[in-house]
Amino acid sequence: LSICSKLCYAIGGAPNQVAGSAAAFFLQIYLLDIAHITPFHASLVLFIGKATGAVTDPVAGFFISKSRWTKIGRLMPWMLACTPFTVASYFFMWYLPPFVSGRVAWYLTFCCLFQALTTLFQVPYSALTMFLSTDQKERDSATAYRMAMEVLGTLIGAALQGQIVASAHVSHHCTVYPSVNTTNSWHDTPSFPDPSDPLSHQVIYMIAAGVIGGVYLLGIVVLFLGVKEKDDPYALNSDRAIPFCKGLGLTMKHGPYVKLTASFLLISTAVQLEQSNFVLFCTHAADLRNHFQYLVVTILVSAAVSIPFWQKFLQRFGKKCAACGISWMIPFTVMLVTIPNLILAYFVAFISGLSIAASLLLPWSMLPDVVDNFRLQNPHGKGHETIFYSSYVFFTKMSAGIGLGISAAGLEFTGYKPGICRQSNNVILTLKILIGAVPAILILVGLFILLFYPITEESRKETKLALEVLR
């Protein structure tokens, strides 16, 4: 593969991460403090949206596996067709409708549409890795390019959204007046935008959504022009496509896949909880409301620049060994929760970025090895790649949706009130648990499961050699 092809492939997936990052970091606080819906309804929007995307994964895998080969490939037409609708649904997901009573239904509708449409893009895009090259090193290299660009896209999305919307959440909405004694009394000023103001936050949110929509269109053009999809390189003319339901049953019985999926669905849920509650934690629990956008940028810059390091690390020491880096964030996050210091917060953000980079790169680097292992055990079937990728994304999305729904419901239960400057002690404690204890437990359990993942560097080389003989 040429560097140009790898770059074009990587750029094609970046817009999904730009939009996903903006939603992951800011959609919950937008729904609570700008759209002014209750935490319970916000939890419904977040959970049902994620669940819709998760349910769409196997559906997308089913229809894609039935697709016929065209002049531009079997996967590319799906990505081209869904992009315009994805842009439209994303824009309306950040639009503040003039009515109040139907806002929950509005956001639920467009959040579900956006999640479903991004799935129709993500499943064929991620499966495209298997149709770029037959060489494992080339696929790993393309995956590293993709992850670096996706982390950069995550950085762009969070930085763009953070810098634009920071004024909606900074402390000038919450002025402090010294009282007669030495303590401070807070003057609670709601942070909801004034609809009559043409420069209000709702308009700025929509401008940001329009810019990110333009990034989507640019990414799909680069992907279409720069990447050539190849047919299944191992399939013989006599091989038949595996029926979707049968293939799904076989994947659920494939030991390496089950262990990999179980491990990373817990780890990805931990990362999602960190992302979704980080801005709320900085705003309400750590007195860092003036710095949250810079802390988010620090996390993502650290993740982006460390992708090449992790790629070299896993090539030298193996992929299972590289998974240890995911645990680095645990002690520092716990320290931030117990000692909310500004300098410590930036250090924690840097370390968290290193761990997040490892958690993003490893599953997508290990999944092609699982698919190759399955191919070796089922040498006369084809079309199973989209089944693996769609079911993997289904499980990780569903677990993340459940985690986000429970976290938002927890805020509702403990008495979170949108738009006020000082939340109750119960809300602050809940945010600390969601940022510190819960992700730490999920990551440790996920890494424990990964210890039993059977594909080593030696077995991976043996599989590669056997597939070359088969080819």
Side-chain angles (χ1 to χ4, degrees), residues 279-459:
V279 176
L280 285 170
F281 173 79
C282 291
T283 303
H284 298 299
D287 198 23
L288 298 169
R289 64 176 70 232
N290 290 328
H291 297 273
F292 73 79
Q293 68 270 35
Y294 306 113
L295 290 168
V296 168
V297 170
T298 302
I299 292 172
L300 297 173
V301 168
S302 170
V305 299
S306 62
I307 288 287
F309 162 77
W310 285 118
Q311 177 65 12
K312 294 291 184 183
F313 188 96
L314 64 86
Q315 285 178 346
R316 182 167 183 180
F317 299 104
K319 297 176 182 179
K320 286 181 69 173
C321 185
C324 298
I326 300 172
S327 64
W328 292 356
M329 66 190 299
I330 295 175
F332 298 102
T333 307
V334 172
M335 285 174 63
L336 177 63
V337 168
T338 54
I339 314 170
N341 177 272
L342 179 60
I343 296 175
L344 178 62
Y346 277 99
F347 186 64
V348 169
F350 174 77
I351 298 297
S352 297
L354 299 179
S355 295
I356 288 172
S359 72
L360 290 173
L361 177 62
L362 282 171
W364 296 111
S365 181
M366 297 166 85
L367 196 54
D369 302 336
V370 173
V371 176
D372 280 346
N373 183 270
F374 181 84
R375 156 64 81 181
L376 195 60
Q377 296 181 20
N378 300 270
H380 296 295
K382 63 179 181 178
H384 55 277
E385 294 85 2
T386 53
I387 299 173
F388 271 98
Y389 281 87
S390 62
S391 56
Y392 173 78
V393 178
F394 165 79
F395 287 117
T396 53
K397 278 187 178 178
M398 184 61 77
S399 63
I402 293 171
L404 292 177
I406 292 174
S407 73
L411 293 175
E412 167 84 8
F413 179 76
T414 52
Y416 182 91
K417 295 180 180 178
I420 68 170
C421 300
R422 294 289 273 187
Q423 298 291 341
S424 67
N425 290 333
N426 288 336
V427 171
I428 293 173
L429 177 61
T430 302
L431 288 170
K432 288 181 177 181
I433 292 172
L434 291 172
I435 284 289
V438 176
I441 294 170
L442 291 174
I443 289 172
L444 290 174
V445 175
L447 291 176
F448 177 75
I449 294 173
L450 199 62
L451 291 175
F452 301 97
Y453 176 70
I455 298 178
T456 62
E457 292 304 301
E458 291 74 21
S459 65

Side-chain angles (χ1 to χ4, degrees), residues 100 108-109 125 150 166 181 196 217 241 262 272 282 306 317 381 424 452:
V100 176
L108 185 60
T109 299
Y125 174 76
E150 288 191 355
N181 54 20
S196 63
L217 298 177
Q272 284 277 341
C282 291
S306 62
F317 299 104
S424 67
F452 301 97

Side-chain angles (χ1 to χ4, degrees), residues 55-180:
V55 170
T56 310
D57 283 298
V59 175
F62 174 78
F63 284 108
I64 292 169
S65 67
K66 298 289 185 182
S67 301
R68 294 183 178 181
W69 184 266
T70 67
K71 291 182 179 179
I72 59 173
R74 187 161 57 94
L75 304 174
M76 191 69 73
W78 287 88
M79 294 181 276
L80 289 172
C82 71
T83 298
F85 301 101
T86 305
V87 172
S89 62
Y90 181 79
F91 179 81
F92 286 112
M93 191 173 70
W94 297 97
Y95 175 72
L96 191 67
F99 48 84
V100 176
S101 59
R103 278 185 186 173
V104 175
W106 175 277
Y107 289 115
L108 185 60
T109 299
F110 285 104
C111 187
C112 290
L113 275 174
F114 174 70
Q115 292 291 346
L117 289 165
T118 52
T119 294
L120 289 177
F121 180 93
Q122 191 65 29
V123 169
Y125 174 76
S126 54
L128 186 60
T129 310
M130 300 301 299
F131 300 98
L132 295 176
S133 173
T134 60
D135 190 288
Q136 289 180 346
K137 286 187 177 180
E138 288 296 316
R139 291 202 303 257
D140 285 349
S141 177
T143 300
Y145 272 82
R146 170 191 160 193
M147 288 298 109
M149 195 59 67
E150 288 191 355
V151 172
L152 182 61
T154 305
L155 169 62
I156 292 171
L160 176 69
Q161 198 86 355
Q163 293 300 322
I164 291 175
V165 308
S167 59
H169 309 288
V170 294
S171 59
H172 65 73
H173 289 290
C174 304
T175 54
V176 183
Y177 295 108
S179 57
V180 177

Side-chain angles (χ1 to χ4, degrees), residues 256-278:
Y257 177 73
V258 171
K259 293 179 177 66
L260 180 71
T261 303
S263 172
F264 278 99
L265 71 82
L266 294 173
I267 293 170
S268 64
T269 301
V271 173
Q272 284 277 341
L273 284 172
E274 290 276 357
Q275 286 183 325
S276 182
N277 293 288
F278 186 75

